Amino acid sequence: MIATWKRRRLRRFATRWIAVLLPLTVLLLGERAWAYPWMIRHGYTVCSTCHVDPSGAGLMTLYGRAQSELLLRTRYGDPPPDEDPMKLGGFAFGAVPLPEELLLQADVRGLALRVEPPSPAPGVTRLILMQADLAAGVIVDRFRASASLGYAHEGALAASVTHGEGDRLVSRQHWAGIVLGEDDAFMLRAGRMNLPFGLRAIEHTLWTKAATRTDVNAAQQHGVALSYASEAWRMEAMGILGNFQLSPPELRERGYAAYVERAFSQSAAVGVSSLITYADHDVAAKRPVLRQAHGAFARLVPAKPVVIMTEGDLLVRSPTGAPSEIGATGMLQVDVEPLQGLHLIATGELLSEDFSTRPASVGGGLSVQWFFLPHADVRFDFNHRNVPVGDGRAGVTSLLGQIHVFF
Amino acid sequence: MNRSLYAGLVASALTAAVTLSAHARLTVLGESSVEFKAAGPAGMSIVGTSNEIRASDTADSIVIVVPLTKLDTGIELRNKHMREKYLETGKFPNAELVVSKASIGYPNVGSGEVTGQLKLHGQTKAVKLRYEARKSGAGYAVAGSLRLNIKDFGIRQPSYLGVSVKPEVDVAVKFNALDQ
């Protein structure tokens, strides 16, 4: 009898931990999309040369594909005298010639995940299809357009274009615009876009991305944006009209997001970001909420193999009729590339959603990412996060292995 | 990569007004650097560097030579395109700047803007350059800069995969000179 009671209590305890930690685990999932702010190590302080999105991430230009071949992946042996990076770097490994005006890119990313919650909760092992997207872009004179359509077995709800809880179609981006000015320095565009805020890091689960809701996984919104890029400056400001793929309309946020980054050299850039949105109904607060995030970020290259990236953001949530919650989040990441294509990454981060009521969460991780073949990379992450749960704290450790292939 | 970018560059400038005797022979000692910067669209910037500079003088001029094959943009394929498609270093291995001693008030140290003759890609054109020369130890520290248009020297405007580099290229040089 007592043994049965103990078993039931143990099962309840384990169930409760799993209920708390499984969502945390999902939050620990690593990268999803292309966006490598450490490309500054190669002297690229701006993003628009290699990406259709002027602030980086996602669909690459032809030039970006060539850089992927030349700079991203490990090179084996001496290059041939007549080396042409587009032979392998082009769409479908160069097997399908495309007109210069058309860009296509298919990304598939799979994840194996192992989570070790505190005993007695059992470990969790999962295989997840993180990304299966096809993106297309058009560049004709000053006109630019980009759209993506993909399949999501789970997650990425905010980017969904079909109904249901699983097996949906998602469109993370779809926009059109024009470049303006001498040197194509300006771009004005409208549609569903990544929010211009902070470091556009690949790890969409970083607290600086998740807490500000500016990740490149599914946090895009519809709106109008104007960007500018020069040798010393890059910036983008977006008027947010809401995520039109989210219903009912009361849930949609309206406001702005913007960043300005100054490159002091080809190895040092510092920027500031700001975001203010308002939603008529916030799911968590069950009332209107004014949300703000303001912060700074930096990218530094003390020596070419090493890139230091950091971001800190103040977080303010102001539910109507309730006290404001003021918190902050920050991250520090060091990326070392001892051999071209091989990245050793150390990350530390913290989050306090409300200084007055909740202790801070802390996290850290070590990662290895290897761009080992054309169009392919693998990544392994060891992450640990310690977060407040009730009156105590919980630590959850995760091991992740990912493989990413693009065509 | 880029077949683009680069530019060719080089040579630049400066010189100096060193307090050397009229029969002195200039030589470059210690650390020296030459850097060129070319710009592409939407903030793209390409920087090439080299640590190899030679300086000498004649009866009435100072001559600065930059071996172009030593320029490095940080990307090997881009270097290859720069050397073979644009600078054609097989035929034109050096950039050479000649500045008259009179124009810089030689042999006095100082700074200012003068016109020199730049030979690049087999063509010689007049270029304006800014220079500064000051005493440094037993020798002289020299720095200079100029802007050139590679089209003036018969170099094609680099373009690669839809990205074109502007023909205007900024060049900066630093070296220490000593009279022998």
Side-chain angles (χ1 to χ4, degrees):
Chain A
M1 186 72 171
I2 291 177
T4 301
W5 179 82
K6 280 186 175 177
R7 272 200 303 274
R8 285 178 180 166
R9 188 173 178 191
L10 194 61
R11 194 177 301 126
R12 258 201 319 272
F13 182 78
T15 303
R16 194 169 62 195
W17 273 107
I18 291 172
V20 170
L21 295 176
L22 208 48
L24 271 176
T25 297
V26 174
L27 287 176
L28 284 166
L29 298 182
E31 71 179 282
R32 182 218 65 88
W34 292 76
Y36 301 130
W38 42 252
M39 282 299 287
I40 192 174
R41 74 158 44 89
H42 298 291
Y44 289 109
T45 56
V46 296
C47 313
S48 52
T49 311
C50 294
H51 294 278
V52 178
D53 185 328
S55 293
L59 182 62
M60 287 181 292
T61 62
L62 294 178
Y63 189 91
R65 279 184 172 270
Q67 304 318 300
S68 170
E69 269 298 286
L70 295 170
L71 302 178
L72 277 188
R73 75 169 176 91
T74 300
R75 313 273 288 176
Y76 304 98
D78 295 328
D82 60 342
E83 180 181 26
D84 178 1
M86 293 308 287
K87 283 183 179 174
L88 278 177
F91 177 66
F93 295 90
V96 182
L98 297 174
E100 282 194 4
E101 294 80 6
L102 177 62
L103 304 170
L104 288 178
Q105 182 173 315
D107 287 85
V108 178
R109 189 183 303 275
L111 168 75
L113 168 71
R114 174 69 184 175
V115 179
E116 291 293 343
S119 180
V124 177
T125 301
R126 297 186 64 196
L127 297 176
I128 300 172
L129 177 62
M130 295 186 69
Q131 182 186 17
D133 284 5
L134 176 64
V138 175
I139 298 177
V140 178
D141 194 17
R142 291 189 172 274
F143 177 76
R144 305 283 188 276
S146 177
S148 73
L149 188 64
Y151 163 77
H153 176 66
E154 58 186 315
L157 284 168
S160 180
V161 291
T162 56
H163 297 291
E165 294 185 357
D167 300 314
R168 288 164 292 103
L169 292 177
V170 295
S171 180
R172 304 176 207 271
Q173 293 196 67
H174 40 262
W175 55 264
I178 54 173
V179 293
L180 301 166
E182 188 183 4
D183 305 330
D184 299 341
F186 295 91
M187 182 185 286
L188 178 64
R189 56 187 180 138
R192 191 173 199 270
M193 297 169 281
N194 291 318
L195 295 190
F197 188 94
L199 289 173
R200 191 155 288 179
I202 55 174
E203 298 93 345
H204 66 89
T205 56
L206 282 173
W207 281 321
T208 49
K209 297 290 96 184
T212 58
R213 299 185 197 170
T214 58
D215 66 75
V216 294
N217 182 31
Q220 297 87 355
Q221 304 246 21
H222 290 84
V224 179
L226 178 65
S227 65
Y228 172 77
S230 68
E231 181 185 347
W233 296 91
R234 69 182 185 101
M235 58 189 76
E236 184 167 26
M238 176 179 176
I240 300 170
L241 302 177
N243 177 7
F244 296 159
Q245 289 160 229
L246 191 63
S247 291
E250 290 73 21
L251 296 176
R252 298 172 187 165
E253 294 183 315
R254 298 164 185 84
Y256 78 87
Y259 74 86
V260 177
E261 185 186 57
R262 172 80 158 91
F264 294 96
S265 70
Q266 287 197 309
S267 57
V270 177
V272 294
S273 306
S274 179
L275 175 151
I276 298 179
T277 62
Y278 177 84
D280 292 326
H281 182 82
D282 181 90
V283 173
K286 296 182 171 54
R287 64 183 72 191
V289 167
L290 180 73
R291 187 169 67 86
Q292 301 182 59
H294 311 285
F297 59 94
R299 297 180 289 162
L300 304 170
V301 188
K304 190 169 182 179
V306 181
V307 179
I308 300 170
M309 294 161 285
T310 186
E311 178 176 339
D313 301 308
L314 177 72
L315 308 171
V316 182
R317 276 172 53 88
S318 305
T320 298
S324 291
E325 300 170 359
I326 301 175
T329 182
M331 64 80 78
L332 174 67
Q333 186 174 75
V334 179
D335 181 295
V336 182
E337 188 177 13
L339 168 73
Q340 180 170 317
L342 179 65
H343 295 255
L344 311 176
I345 305 162
T347 306
E349 56 179 342
L350 57 84
L351 170 69
S352 176
E353 292 179 306
D354 188 349
F355 293 136
S356 63
T357 62
R358 271 166 280 176
S361 302
V362 295
L366 298 172
S367 310
V368 178
Q369 187 170 15
W370 185 23
F371 298 82
F372 65 105
L373 284 175
H375 302 241
D377 61 272
V378 292
R379 175 164 170 153
F380 301 94
D381 296 88
F382 167 83
N383 292 323
H384 183 82
R385 278 176 168 174
N386 188 280
V387 301
V389 177
D391 294 331
R393 299 188 67 88
V396 56
T397 300
S398 297
L399 298 172
L400 302 86
Q402 299 178 61
I403 184 165
H404 168 230
V405 179
F406 77 97
F407 302 98
Chain B
M1 109 173 128
N2 323 241
R3 331 162 115 170
S4 16
L5 325 240
Y6 7 56
L9 319 188
V10 159
S12 145
L14 293 208
T15 34
V18 255
T19 324
L20 304 176
S21 75
H23 304 291
R25 289 188 59 197
L26 277 181
T27 187
V28 172
L29 285 182
E31 290 188 359
S32 58
S33 68
V34 56
E35 175 184 293
F36 77 83
K37 184 181 289 184
M44 182 186 189
S45 177
I46 295 165
V47 175
T49 60
S50 170
N51 294 321
E52 199 158 313
I53 300 172
R54 299 195 297 269
S56 60
D57 65 332
T58 63
D60 57 0
S61 298
I62 292 174
V63 181
I64 298 168
V65 175
V66 174
L68 300 178
T69 55
K70 301 295 184 181
L71 287 172
D72 179 16
T73 67
I75 301 176
E76 194 48 48
L77 185 59
R78 183 161 64 185
N79 292 341
K80 178 181 169 70
H81 290 161
M82 174 177 68
R83 293 167 188 154
E84 297 179 1
K85 295 173 62 71
Y86 300 105
L87 295 178
E88 300 183 273
T89 56
K91 291 189 286 185
F92 314 110
N94 297 323
E96 182 178 291
L97 177 71
V98 179
V99 179
S100 74
K101 291 179 176 177
S103 69
I104 58 174
Y106 181 90
N108 300 314
V109 295
S111 62
E113 183 174 305
V114 298
T115 298
Q117 295 294 314
L118 176 63
K119 185 178 181 182
L120 175 65
H121 198 243
Q123 300 190 30
T124 301
K125 301 286 181 184
V127 294
K128 287 187 176 178
L129 59 110
R130 300 188 61 81
Y131 75 94
E132 180 183 4
R134 57 182 173 77
K135 285 198 170 186
S136 176
Y140 302 88
V142 183
S145 61
L146 61 81
R147 169 170 287 193
L148 59 85
N149 186 318
I150 59 172
K151 288 182 172 180
D152 293 342
F153 296 87
I155 299 172
R156 287 185 297 144
Q157 185 174 356
S159 183
Y160 184 59
L161 295 175
V163 177
S164 295
V165 177
K166 291 183 189 177
E168 296 83 12
V169 176
D170 292 317
V171 182
V173 174
K174 289 182 181 178
F175 61 89
N176 293 301
L178 187 69
D179 59 353
Q180 292 180 317

